[in-house]
């Protein structure tokens, strides 16, 4: 069979059923044609392949390209000062009440023009790509007006044009109540004006909402979900991060892709997610940075069979993190997730959280040929080390980048 490129002399983490949870193939090959994977397996079974180009991986490991399924990567400004205030004893809630927090980033993002926003966001994206990210979700939510939200989403799209990465845009207009507005009146605007306009322009494929006492109620989140459904957009939620608002069960009832954070998730929420197949997106960077002490119920999620994805939650306030590898290490050390769960969380399960399970996140025939080639001795090295980047090469849609 003719193919474009054959990566050989590699060990594979296919994330397919087979040898352990990672679907390991020792001394394997991956072949691509027209940007898709056309063959994956042991070298011995690949003699029929006639590649135009062969790449000798010299015994390195290949995983699917990493997928970050929850980021707020596009924003302007800097909240290091707020970090310092917190070191002196202020809480996240104190800062939010004093006009800091999310609304501080909103002010800076509103003031920035598109070019400035792009230049502020590119280094963060590049840091992600340097660690093997090939697909990244990016939320709006620092504009909080139709024009400023559109601006953030256009910058997200532009990032995907400038770099070899798939950007998945999410509209998070219901992230915070804009200064000087009343929550319900703003939610009405999100539902009746913003969602229809964003959908008509094709600027987002999903709608997210921050369901929390600091932000929007369960009833308001439901209103947002209903508007999204009317306009053909998928839904997801920031749920039970600081308190239990029963947001995850609401998300499950609306067929949401994922419920994210979920530190305060209860048994009913776990059961609802398990029944609906809602992905749990766990965000150890935010847990770490805010010094949260309520752990997400990992054991119960595992027992209930809820799919678990991991993400950086890259944002200026609670998770200024652009390292998927460090997020994996935090998930292991703080949440006691296994190495296999951490790696699956940034590949197969993250793809599921983006509704792309059939196209990315595994090494299998027909999927996009997104690869990360690692200079490691075993998969555990990806999770075990801190602040060390063993990425050797990144491949996006069949092209080494
Ligand atoms: N939860 C979070 O942790 C971030 N947004 C959200 O809904 C915080 C965003 C920020 O502080 O800028
Ligand atoms: Fe978030």
């Amino acid at each position: 069979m003719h193919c474009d490129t054959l990566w050989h002399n590699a060990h594979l983490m296919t994330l397919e059923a087979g040898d352990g949870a990672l679907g390991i193939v020792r001394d394997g090959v991956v072949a691509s044609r027209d940007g898709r994977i056309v063959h994956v397996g042991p070298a011995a079974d690949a003699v029929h392949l006639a590649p135009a180009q062969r790449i000798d991986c010299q015994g390195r490991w290949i995983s699917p390209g990493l997928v970050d399924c929850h980021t707020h990567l596009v924003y302007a400004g800097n909240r290091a000062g707020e970090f310092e205030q917190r070191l002196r004893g202020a809480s996240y809630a104190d800062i939010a009440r004093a006009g800091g927090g999310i609304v501080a980033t909103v002010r800076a993002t509103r003031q920035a023009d598109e070019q400035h926003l792009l230049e502020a966001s590119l280094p963060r994206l590049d840091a992600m790509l340097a660690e093997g990210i090939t697909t990244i979700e990016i939320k709006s939510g620092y504009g909080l007006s139709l024009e400023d939200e559109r601006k953030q989403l256009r910058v997200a799209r532009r990032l995907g044009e400038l770099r070899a990465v798939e950007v998945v845009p999410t509209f998070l207009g219901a992230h915070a109540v804009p200064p000087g507005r009343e929550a319900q009146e703003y939610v009405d605007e999100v539902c009746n004006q913003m969602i229809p306009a964003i959908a008509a322009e094709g600027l987002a494929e999903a709608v997210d909402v921050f369901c929390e006492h600091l932000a929007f109620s369960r009833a308001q989140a439901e209103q947002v979900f209903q508007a999204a459904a009317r306009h053909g957009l998928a839904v997801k939620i920031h749920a039970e991060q600081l308190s239990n608002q029963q947001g995850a069960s609401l998300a499950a009832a609306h067929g949401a892709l994922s419920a994210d954070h979920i530190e305060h998730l209860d048994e009913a929420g776990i059961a609802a997610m398990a029944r609906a197949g809602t992905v749990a997106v766990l965000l150890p960077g935010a847990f770490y940075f805010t010094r949260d002490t309520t752990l997400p119920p990992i054991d119960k999620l595992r027992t209930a069979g809820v799919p678990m994805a991991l993400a950086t939650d890259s944002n200026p306030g609670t998770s200024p993190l652009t390292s998927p590898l460090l997020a994996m290490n935090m998930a292991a050390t703080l949440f006691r997730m296994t190495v296999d769960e951490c790696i699956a969380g940034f590949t197969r399960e993250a793809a599921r959280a983006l509704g792309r399970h059939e196209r990315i996140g595994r090494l299998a025939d027909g999927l996009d040929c997104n690869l990360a080639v690692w200079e490691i001795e075993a998969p555990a090295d990806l999770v075990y080390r801190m602040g060390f980047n063993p990425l050797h090469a990144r491949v996006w849609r069949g092209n080494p980048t």
Side-chain angles (χ1 to χ4, degrees):
M1 175 178 53
H2 168 76
C3 61
D4 299 328
T5 308
L6 179 76
W7 288 266
H8 67 104
N9 196 8
H11 305 303
L12 313 179
M13 297 174 233
T14 66
L15 277 298
E16 288 275 277
D19 183 5
L22 295 179
I24 287 171
V25 176
R26 288 194 172 266
D27 192 13
V29 302
V30 179
S32 78
R33 188 172 58 211
D34 301 329
R36 300 279 189 84
I37 294 172
V38 291
H39 181 86
V40 180
D45 301 350
V47 285
H48 64 292
L49 293 171
Q53 178 187 204
R54 299 172 69 90
I55 297 181
D56 183 349
C57 296
Q58 301 179 313
R60 296 185 182 92
W61 283 80
I62 299 181
S63 74
L66 302 186
V67 178
D68 194 340
C69 65
H70 180 142
T71 86
H72 310 247
L73 194 88
V74 172
Y75 62 85
N78 181 312
R79 305 233 308 263
E82 220 172 77
F83 175 62
E84 288 192 279
Q85 273 175 269
R86 293 232 293 272
L87 291 174
R88 288 192 220 100
S91 72
Y92 186 63
D94 293 337
I95 290 167
R97 271 191 295 271
I102 293 177
V103 298
T105 301
V106 171
R107 274 194 300 276
T109 303
R110 283 180 174 174
Q111 273 166 22
D113 64 18
E114 236 168 280
Q115 185 60 26
H116 175 107
L117 259 187
L118 186 70
E119 285 166 14
S121 306
L122 256 180
R124 293 190 281 267
L125 178 62
D126 285 339
M128 298 272 199
L129 303 189
E131 290 193 5
I133 291 287
T134 51
T135 308
I136 185 168
E137 188 253 19
I138 300 180
K139 303 175 195 296
S140 66
Y142 289 121
L144 309 184
S145 72
L146 178 56
E147 270 327 293
D148 292 303
E149 290 285 307
R150 286 176 69 234
K151 178 174 71 181
Q152 264 193 290
L153 291 168
R154 281 197 305 266
V155 168
R157 182 163 66 191
R158 189 88 188 99
L159 288 170
E161 292 163 358
L162 289 173
R163 292 293 186 266
V165 64
E166 180 176 8
V167 171
V168 182
T170 298
F171 173 62
L172 177 57
H175 191 196
V177 181
R181 300 283 297 273
E182 190 270 318
Q184 185 54 49
E185 170 240 347
Y186 177 63
V187 170
D188 292 341
E189 182 186 333
V190 165
C191 294
N192 303 329
Q193 278 146 50
M194 296 165 79
I195 288 174
I198 300 285
E201 243 187 292
L203 276 171
E205 65 176 64
V207 175
D208 195 346
V209 52
F210 187 18
C211 182
E212 194 51 70
H213 56 79
L214 287 176
F216 301 97
S217 69
R218 190 178 197 270
Q220 288 165 337
E222 179 155 45
Q223 196 186 329
V224 170
F225 286 173
Q226 286 163 344
R230 279 197 297 278
H231 293 277
L233 298 175
V235 297
K236 56 178 82 176
I237 192 164
H238 280 69
E240 335 323 351
Q241 181 184 4
L242 309 171
S243 64
N244 183 6
Q245 307 282 324
Q246 317 279 333
S249 64
L250 175 76
H254 284 263
L257 290 165
S258 66
D260 302 25
H261 286 289
I262 59 169
E263 279 83 351
H264 294 261
L265 184 66
D266 63 12
E267 308 261 343
I270 294 168
M273 288 177 69
R275 268 196 308 276
T278 315
V279 179
V281 176
L282 301 159
L283 305 169
F287 178 90
Y288 165 84
F289 193 76
T290 61
R291 305 182 74 222
D292 201 343
T293 50
T294 305
L295 284 160
I298 301 293
D299 253 343
K300 289 177 178 162
L301 290 166
R302 193 184 275 138
T303 305
V306 175
M308 294 189 285
L310 281 175
T312 62
D313 194 17
S314 186
N315 81 70
T318 61
S319 188
L321 174 64
T322 47
S323 170
L325 294 174
L326 185 53
M328 284 190 213
N329 178 270
M330 289 173 170
T333 53
L334 300 172
F335 295 172
R336 311 313 288 165
M337 288 172 69
T338 66
V339 163
D340 292 358
E341 285 169 342
C342 291
I343 294 173
F346 261 105
T347 53
R348 186 187 61 221
E349 302 311 317
R352 197 189 308 281
L354 295 178
R356 281 164 165 70
H357 180 62
E358 299 302 326
R359 184 155 69 71
I360 58 170
R362 291 170 289 138
L363 304 182
D365 288 7
L367 271 68
D368 287 8
C369 187
N370 296 345
L371 312 177
V373 184
W374 305 99
E375 182 81 52
I376 54 175
E377 284 176 28
D381 288 353
L382 290 184
V383 179
Y384 151 75
R385 297 187 70 148
M386 297 190 284
F388 182 78
N389 180 5
L391 189 77
H392 171 76
R394 203 180 70 98
V395 175
W396 187 65
R397 296 185 174 168
N399 294 309
T401 60

